Amino acid sequence: MDTVHACFEEKIGEVLLPGDVFSFRLPESGDGSIKTGPGLRRNGEEVQVYKSGILRHKQPNMYWIDSQQRRVRVLDSHHVIGIVTAKSGDIFKVDVGGSEQASLSYLAFEGATKRNRPNVQVGDLVYGQFTIANKDMEPKLVCIDSCGRANGMGVFGADGLLFKLSLGLMRRLLAPQSEIAKDLEKIFPFELVVGMNGRVWSCENMTSQQRQTLFKRVAEGSL
């Protein structure tokens, strides 16, 4: 096959097993190069499967294996929910649920300067993205995009509830036009922040009358 796309398109949505190998040849122009996520490993002109699961695809060129697992494996640019655990000089230490805590500079916030430092306290929740997520290096978080804008990232969650979900359910919530989120919105209004590390923060915005209606439906078993 000329490119890996043609090879993978036939397998999208199918179950792949560890040891499956797909050979491909990239064009000289460099177009058609792919990015491999969890479950896939690039080795020269081959893509090797090292985890069983369903092959998924995200436009334009991202492929990964969707499988049930407990261990979180985050990659560069993944958005996660972290808990600030300590402050060491100009660096915040953030628990992201991995084996090692991530570092977050006070300058990695929109509008932050040496004189205008962000108000971040131990115990705060932060929503940010990884700039370094390598097993051989200390994880590094930022709360700004490539243009220096917060774009929804930063300290949040003064109210609400933080809990963990399975990685499979987390991916279903992050899917475009998620059916789970749509079904929940029909029951009661809420805010939802989902991290790629399996953490979810939710805050309901119901009036007292809406709460009474919801509790009544739960008691009647009509949900």
Side-chain angles (χ1 to χ4, degrees):
M1 295 187 179
D2 292 336
T3 66
V4 72
H5 295 275
C7 180
F8 272 172
E9 284 178 355
E10 300 174 359
K11 299 294 184 179
I12 294 174
E14 296 185 11
V15 176
L16 302 183
L17 299 176
D20 289 345
V21 178
F22 298 90
S23 299
F24 66 97
R25 178 169 51 86
L26 291 175
E28 296 180 358
S29 63
D31 297 334
S33 61
I34 69 165
K35 295 181 180 179
T36 56
L40 299 175
R41 182 179 292 116
R42 179 94 171 264
N43 183 18
E45 294 186 353
E46 293 182 345
V47 173
Q48 301 174 345
V49 181
Y50 66 88
K51 184 184 300 181
S52 60
I54 301 174
L55 179 65
R56 303 296 188 188
H57 174 236
K58 180 180 179 180
Q59 294 291 349
N61 57 359
M62 181 69 183
Y63 295 86
W64 73 96
I65 297 295
D66 186 3
S67 63
Q68 293 292 338
Q69 63 181 31
R70 292 186 177 182
R71 183 180 178 183
V72 177
R73 182 174 182 267
V74 292
L75 303 174
D76 293 353
S77 76
H78 273 185
H79 289 75
V80 297
I81 297 176
I83 305 173
V84 179
T85 58
K87 180 180 179 181
S88 178
D90 297 333
I91 301 295
F92 300 103
K93 292 296 183 180
V94 182
D95 174 19
V96 292
S99 58
E100 186 177 358
Q101 294 190 351
S103 62
L104 173 63
S105 172
Y106 76 93
L107 292 174
F109 291 84
E110 182 179 359
T113 63
K114 291 184 177 180
R115 292 187 177 183
N116 182 29
R117 299 197 175 203
N119 182 20
V120 182
Q121 306 297 329
V122 173
D124 284 348
L125 297 180
V126 293
Y127 183 67
Q129 67 176 349
F130 279 106
T131 56
I132 297 178
N134 189 306
K135 64 179 181 179
D136 300 320
M137 300 177 66
E138 180 185 20
K140 183 178 180 181
L141 279 176
V142 296
C143 291
I144 50 177
D145 58 18
S146 58
C147 298
R149 299 293 185 182
N151 196 18
M153 294 179 285
V155 178
F156 76 103
D159 300 315
L161 177 67
L162 179 69
F163 54 95
K164 293 183 179 180
L165 294 178
S166 67
L167 300 187
L169 183 55
M170 174 268 295
R171 294 190 183 102
R172 292 176 63 186
L173 283 172
L174 288 173
Q177 307 299 323
S178 171
E179 295 181 358
I180 297 178
K182 288 183 178 179
D183 290 341
L184 290 174
E185 289 174 353
K186 295 177 182 178
I187 301 174
F188 58 90
F190 66 96
E191 296 180 38
L192 194 68
V193 179
V194 183
M196 290 293 290
N197 55 343
R199 287 178 176 169
V200 178
W201 175 87
S202 178
C203 180
E204 51 85 10
N205 298 313
M206 292 188 293
T207 64
S208 57
Q209 183 177 358
Q210 289 174 324
R211 290 193 183 94
Q212 292 177 3
T213 303
L214 176 61
F215 294 153
K216 182 179 180 180
R217 293 179 62 185
V218 172
E220 295 174 348
S222 58
L223 289 180

